[in-house]
């Protein structure tokens, strides 16, 4: 019990530290730095564009899930400071998705808009990716405090998309892989776990179970 209290106090100090957000910022940038370095140094293998597109997509998905972890963490630890990190993580998730989308539009399709439109209509996994992207866009655009105030209760309603977008992104992943389903299955299990952690806890009513 005392150990748990110490751990919570330590965690609180860590999350409140001034360097916490800058460190997280740098950590979130590292995968991109590594990928760009890989392209420049030519260490990404025979198909660097594919590696780049896949890795940025996967980081987008990972960060979406990490963002969704913040509310359960607040609930489990009782520390409101997790929520301070949520916006930055969500914006980084969107940033990786934008890089992922751009790498498809640019490096894969060379901005051939007719070809891109045909691809969106023809390949369901691309359709799902675009749908997920357009679900995240309003969330990124309304992430500021000013927009939060302006939208009031509608802000919360709109931000339910933060749950729908990863679900559609998972569909995008399932439709893309043909044989090895292990990765999308693992991400889906994580997503389901996050949803379960969010379910409202049933309060034990005084007198429940007693005969009437
Ligand atoms: C929320 C939005 C999105 C997320 C989270 C996402 C995530 C992912 C993930 C996890 C992968 C598989 C990575 C792997 O195999 O390890 C992937 C692949 C891919 N995504 Fe997305 N994606 C999103 C949107 C898009 C959009 C808008 C496009 C383009 C229209 C797109 C195009 C692709 C392509 C082409 C691949 C396969 C790359 C290849 O095999 O060469 N994605 N994405």
């Amino acid at each position: 019990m005392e150990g748990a209290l110490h751990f919570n106090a330590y965690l609180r100090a860590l999350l409140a530290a001034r360097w916490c957000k800058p460190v997280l910022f740098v950590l979130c940038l590292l995968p991109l730095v590594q990928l760009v370095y890989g392209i420049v140094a030519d260490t990404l293998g025979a198909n660097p564009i594919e590696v780049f597109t896949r890795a940025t997509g996967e980081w987008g998905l990972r960060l979406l899930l990490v963002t969704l972890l913040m509310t359960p963490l607040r609930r489990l630890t009782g520390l409101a400071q997790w929520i301070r990190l949520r916006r930055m993580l969500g914006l980084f998730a969107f940033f990786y998705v934008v890089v992922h989308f751009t790498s498809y539009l640019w490096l894969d399709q060379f901005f051939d808009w007719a070809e891109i439109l045909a691809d969106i209509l023809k390949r369901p996994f691309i359709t799902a990716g675009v749908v997920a992207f357009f679900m995240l866009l309003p969330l990124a655009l309304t992430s500021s405090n000013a927009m939060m105030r302006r939208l009031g209760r509608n802000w919360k309603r709109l931000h339910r998309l933060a749950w729908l977008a990863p679900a559609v992104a998972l569909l995008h992943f399932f439709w893309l892989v043909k044989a090895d389903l292990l990765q999308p299955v693992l991400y889906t299990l994580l997503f389901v776990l996050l949803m379960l952690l969010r379910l409202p806890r049933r309060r034990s009513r005084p007198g429940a179970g007693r005969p009437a």
Side-chain angles (χ1 to χ4, degrees), residues 50 54 57-58 97 100-101 104 125 129-130 132 136 169 172-173 176:
E50 188 183 300
R54 285 184 168 238
E58 213 171 310
V97 170
H100 176 64
F101 196 6
Y104 162 83
F125 96 89
V130 173
L136 290 180
H172 166 69
F173 203 171
L176 153 77

Side-chain angles (χ1 to χ4, degrees), residues 50-95:
E50 188 183 300
V51 173
F52 186 85
T53 310
R54 285 184 168 238
T56 47
E58 213 171 310
W59 275 105
L61 181 60
R62 281 178 192 150
L63 286 169
L64 281 177
L65 298 182
V66 174
T67 309
L68 295 179
L69 182 64
M70 295 302 110
T71 303
L73 279 179
R74 177 182 58 180
R75 194 190 260 186
L76 291 173
T77 61
L79 300 174
Q81 283 93 336
W82 292 107
I83 303 304
R84 277 180 60 223
L85 311 177
R86 192 173 57 182
R87 174 165 40 191
M88 185 163 80
L89 288 166
L91 285 174
F92 258 111
F94 182 66
F95 169 69

Side-chain angles (χ1 to χ4, degrees), residues 47 49-62 64 93-94 96-98 100-105 108-109 116 119-120 123 125-136 165-166 168-170 172-173 176-177 183 187:
N47 196 340
I49 293 174
E50 188 183 300
V51 173
F52 186 85
T53 310
R54 285 184 168 238
T56 47
E58 213 171 310
W59 275 105
L61 181 60
R62 281 178 192 150
L64 281 177
F94 182 66
Y96 274 94
V97 170
V98 169
H100 176 64
F101 196 6
T102 309
S103 93
Y104 162 83
L105 296 174
D108 216 25
Q109 302 289 338
I116 290 164
D119 204 22
I120 294 173
R123 291 200 287 174
F125 96 89
I126 294 289
T127 321
V130 173
V131 170
F133 172 79
F134 280 106
M135 284 177 166
L136 290 180
V168 179
L170 284 169
H172 166 69
F173 203 171
L176 153 77
V177 291
Q183 267 199 321
Y187 282 115

